[in-house]
Amino acid sequence: MHVIDNIIPLSYQNEIEDVLLSNYFPWYFTPDVTWRQYHTDGINTPANVHMFRNNKNTVSPFYQLVSPIVHFATTSINFHFSDVIQCRSFLQYPLNVNFLANEVDDLHIDLPIDHLVVLYYVTDADGETIIVNKVKEDDPEEINCNYKDYEILNAIQPKKGRVVIFDGKYYHTVKQPTKNIRCSINFDVLGYE
Amino acid sequence: MSDIKIFENFLPQDDFLLLQEQVLSRYFPWFYCEYVSLAVKDNDIKDPAAVETDGYHHVFYDKEWNVESYVNEHLHLLYYIIEKKLNLQMKKLIRSRGSVKSPRIGFTKHNYNLPHVDYFFPHETIIYYLNNSDGNTRIFDQKFLNIGDNGIGYNEGFTVFQEVEPKANRLLWFNGLQYHTASNPLNCNRRIVLNLNYYRK
């Protein structure tokens, strides 16, 4: 697991932030950022999503803006990157208490296949990324969605220009932001070490 | 206080549902804006209840920016029915814009966004609600008269004349120089309106 600050030059960090928060970058509403339509208690956590790449297909003209991040990240850890399966950006905002089922979203893995997660933070924010010591080989039916039931391997504070790189087999989640917007770009990457 | 008009069930139900389905769809694009009413740094609004938040817009049409969204053609029926039901002719549409507000931490039912007028010249304003929500629209007693020394007209002493609750297919019309503002919802996951500004013929 790697946490690397200023993975890309500051001017490039600024450009990505400017574009994603501009009045010409489209966001799409999701009623629940964990992709569960409804929590059992009826409370969900709305957010906005932008899909850059889906199932190895580029689906956004903005992908060329963000794709170099993967090259910087994988090169820095000597990972031989072959393809990006999925790339999404999330824009979360500090929700009022009526919409916080939990202050932390559900544990999940992005994809049920071997992959590397490259998580880039567009802005400074609160709302840590939490990675726990539970892997996908475990029976999904047995996975408790509450991160507190597992050993925390790392809790990473979002910081503009910071990237977190980890094996996609590890279950992870995010804390909801409470102070300002939280914007990140998530790459699910194929390749080998 | 100038006129305020409220129309319930404004569009025929089938037409409303089509429009609502399109704009509320997960495939409908929204664009981030740091301030939904006024840029706080440029506007010295002294009102303890006024809290500005960020939000999302979709500009259907903007004369000043020379922008027209692909969705604008789907609003022509709405523009036509506005002219018919309000017995007016739009000389020119200034701006037609969708707006989303989210339930934000710290925002209470006593708060609202910064009081403002959309433009500092005579025009009319329409707010058309696309979903049932909380987050009332407030119309204030104060009316914009002139820019004044502070560059923004009124900036304090606002008093609420009327609150209008967002209700799907409800349309609110008022003189565009009347100060007004919206509120973030507390109990609904988003509050979605269409906001039109135009000159009357």
Side-chain angles (χ1 to χ4, degrees):
Chain A
M1 194 169 308
H2 306 268
V3 179
I4 305 168
D5 287 339
N6 297 314
I7 189 70
I8 54 175
L10 181 61
S11 59
Y12 184 25
Q13 295 174 29
N14 290 339
E15 186 183 354
I16 289 172
E17 182 181 18
D18 288 348
V19 171
L20 266 60
L21 300 182
S22 74
N23 60 8
Y24 56 86
F25 184 84
W27 290 99
Y28 299 85
F29 179 78
T30 178
D32 194 293
V33 74
T34 61
W35 300 88
R36 292 183 173 214
Q37 195 67 17
Y38 298 106
H39 282 266
T40 50
D41 54 9
I43 299 172
N44 51 32
T45 48
N48 288 283
V49 180
H50 181 97
M51 182 74 83
F52 293 101
R53 196 162 162 83
N54 186 27
N55 202 18
K56 296 185 183 179
N57 293 309
T58 299
V59 293
S60 164
F62 291 94
Y63 183 60
Q64 60 181 345
L65 170 72
V66 301
S67 60
I69 294 171
V70 173
H71 295 272
F72 279 99
T74 52
T75 301
S76 70
I77 62 164
N78 294 319
F79 182 87
H80 298 275
F81 141 80
S82 63
D83 206 346
V84 174
I85 313 169
Q86 179 172 263
C87 175
R88 299 164 294 171
S89 185
F90 296 93
L91 181 54
Q92 294 171 263
Y93 31 84
L95 291 164
N96 76 25
V97 291
N98 295 338
F99 288 87
L100 287 178
N102 301 299
E103 67 177 40
V104 181
D105 296 323
D106 291 341
L107 283 173
H108 63 276
I109 51 172
D110 296 346
L111 297 166
I113 57 172
D114 289 345
H115 67 286
L116 185 78
V117 175
V118 174
L119 186 55
Y120 173 82
Y121 299 112
V122 177
T123 56
D124 293 332
D126 60 333
E128 295 171 325
T129 300
I130 296 170
I131 301 164
V132 301
N133 192 14
K134 194 75 178 174
V135 297
K136 79 172 169 60
E137 283 80 9
D138 297 314
D139 182 355
E141 296 298 319
E142 290 181 0
I143 291 295
N144 185 334
C145 288
N146 191 339
Y147 79 101
K148 290 179 179 171
D149 294 339
Y150 303 99
E151 176 195 357
I152 294 176
L153 293 177
N154 210 338
I156 303 106
Q157 181 84 21
K159 183 183 174 196
K160 180 176 170 177
R162 173 173 286 174
V163 76
V164 184
I165 309 168
F166 60 95
D167 189 324
K169 70 181 180 183
Y170 285 101
Y171 275 78
H172 55 279
T173 187
V174 298
K175 281 189 176 177
Q176 282 288 319
T178 60
K179 296 182 173 66
N180 207 340
I181 56 169
R182 180 188 193 280
C183 186
S184 61
I185 303 171
N186 172 298
F187 301 86
D188 295 312
V189 179
L190 294 179
Y192 61 93
E193 288 186 41
Chain B
M1 181 67 206
S2 62
D3 291 340
I4 290 175
K5 292 176 185 167
I6 297 172
F7 299 82
E8 308 292 353
N9 303 313
F10 189 77
L11 279 181
Q13 187 68 1
D14 288 349
D15 296 316
F16 169 72
L17 291 175
L18 271 177
L19 179 61
Q20 185 193 47
E21 184 182 357
Q22 182 173 24
V23 178
L24 272 63
S25 144
R26 58 181 288 199
Y27 303 107
F28 189 81
W30 292 102
F31 301 84
Y32 181 76
C33 57
E34 194 174 0
Y35 306 112
V36 289
S37 300
L38 291 171
V40 176
K41 60 185 178 193
D42 299 330
N43 294 277
D44 187 24
I45 300 289
K46 299 181 178 76
D47 183 336
V51 176
E52 189 64 351
T53 64
D54 52 5
Y56 301 86
H57 287 154
H58 182 110
V59 176
F60 298 109
Y61 175 82
D62 192 306
K63 180 175 173 288
E64 189 181 346
W65 293 358
N66 196 24
V67 168
E68 183 166 7
S69 157
Y70 68 99
V71 188
N72 194 40
E73 66 182 76
H74 298 278
L75 296 180
H76 288 178
L77 177 68
L78 174 67
Y79 303 154
Y80 171 75
I81 293 179
I82 285 171
E83 290 191 319
K84 201 171 164 188
K85 279 199 174 182
L86 274 68
N87 192 25
L88 60 86
Q89 273 190 292
M90 291 188 203
K91 184 178 174 186
K92 207 161 262 180
L93 187 60
I94 303 167
R95 186 179 67 192
S96 171
R97 189 173 71 168
S99 175
V100 179
K101 294 185 199 308
S102 313
R104 303 303 294 263
I105 200 165
F107 208 93
T108 74
K109 64 179 180 181
H110 304 295
N111 293 130
Y112 43 77
N113 302 134
L114 299 188
H116 66 278
V117 292
D118 295 347
Y119 295 97
F120 291 133
F121 49 75
H123 65 285
E124 296 179 2
T125 294
I126 282 171
I127 295 172
Y128 180 58
Y129 301 99
L130 281 182
N131 67 334
N132 292 318
S133 170
D134 53 333
N136 290 356
T137 300
R138 264 89 161 185
I139 309 285
F140 298 96
D141 288 307
Q142 288 71 26
K143 192 173 177 180
F144 173 78
L145 297 173
N146 56 61
I147 295 275
D149 294 338
N150 61 8
I152 57 167
Y154 274 94
N155 67 340
E156 58 187 328
F158 290 102
T159 49
V160 176
F161 172 76
Q162 188 167 341
E163 291 193 28
V164 181
E165 187 177 356
K167 184 180 170 193
N169 205 11
R170 171 179 279 173
L171 184 139
L172 165 66
W173 172 95
F174 54 93
N175 183 330
L177 294 181
Q178 210 68 46
Y179 280 91
H180 61 278
T181 198
S183 315
N184 288 56
L186 302 179
N187 303 309
C188 185
N189 67 9
R190 52 181 177 159
R191 172 194 188 273
I192 305 177
V193 305
L194 303 188
N195 176 204
L196 275 66
N197 306 104
Y198 63 92
Y199 303 108
R200 184 192 285 247
K201 223 173 215 176

